[in-house]
Amino acid sequence: MTAATDPVKLMKQKVGKAAADLVKSGSIVGLGTGSTTAFAIQYIGERLKSGELKDIVGVPTSFQAEVLAKEYGIPLTTLDAIDHIDIAIDGADEVDPQKNLIKGGGAAHTREKVVDYLADQFIVVVDGGKLVDRLGSVFAVPVEVIPMAVTPVMRAVAKLGGKPELRMGVKKAGPVITDQGNMVIDVKFDSIDDPVNLEKTLNNIPGVLENGIFVNCADRVLIGEVKDGQPVVREM
């Protein structure tokens, strides 16, 4: 099977395109991180190049988003230079029926949270495999921690009933280091009954910068699925 006919890749492209189509000329756009969002960035760039979109500036949530935006010709700005974000497009690792999310599989959740919460409209792009009945069913909660606080934070999350694990690098010896120069602890909870309070509780642990629970922020969730070998997109 070639990449061109891989139904999963085609489905991610289709969801990314559906999100990119929601961007209007003159918008400030939050550019998220991850494989599906990467296609949205590509399509925003193509719409700009063709002249269908004009006067777009992007706010990247990670080095990955920054590199892709430059590659596809999307001008970038910073939060210092703007007073609002019209629309943000980002992925998620889990989405529950209330549109609460777990993010941070790519360790970019701190910057994603800043940008996604600021946006007037936050569009989440996922494949159907990311839908769960309850947060924490499959995915651990990523917690970004300043390096000196790793051990006490791991103790504190264990007291909350979580199983903490320091995220280690792939093709890199030692732990994953975020774009901010911090470490990530992945915390598995047996069940997250109250994501709103858990998000606050985790962020109140000294040394924690931000965690990957996103509550009450997603406006629309676009879901890609493969049905009868064909990619389809539906909205939650």
Side-chain angles (χ1 to χ4, degrees), residues 41-53:
I41 294 173
Q42 180 186 337
Y43 286 118
I44 292 168
E46 286 174 10
R47 289 185 66 201
L48 264 177
K49 198 174 174 184
S50 72
E52 183 193 329
L53 266 186

Side-chain angles (χ1 to χ4, degrees), residues 7-59:
V8 174
K9 186 178 177 190
L10 288 171
M11 174 264 291
K12 287 186 172 194
Q13 286 175 321
K14 196 162 184 170
V15 184
K17 189 173 188 310
D21 286 343
L22 298 172
V23 176
K24 298 184 176 76
S25 288
S27 300
I28 299 170
V29 187
L31 303 172
T33 307
S35 57
T36 307
T37 316
F39 288 120
I41 294 173
Q42 180 186 337
Y43 286 118
I44 292 168
E46 286 174 10
R47 289 185 66 201
L48 264 177
K49 198 174 174 184
S50 72
E52 183 193 329
L53 266 186
K54 291 184 173 61
D55 302 326
I56 293 293
V57 287
V59 180

Side-chain angles (χ1 to χ4, degrees), residues 97-142:
Q98 288 74 47
K99 297 182 187 164
N100 296 316
L101 320 171
I102 289 182
K103 292 172 53 50
H109 53 281
T110 298
R111 281 169 68 173
E112 288 170 345
K113 200 176 266 193
V114 172
V115 170
D116 296 343
Y117 275 62
L118 275 175
D120 295 337
Q121 192 181 28
F122 174 28
I123 311 294
V124 179
V125 289
V126 289
D127 59 79
K130 305 291 171 66
L131 302 180
V132 294
D133 292 332
R134 142 182 310 208
L135 281 193
S137 307
V138 183
F139 219 76
V141 178

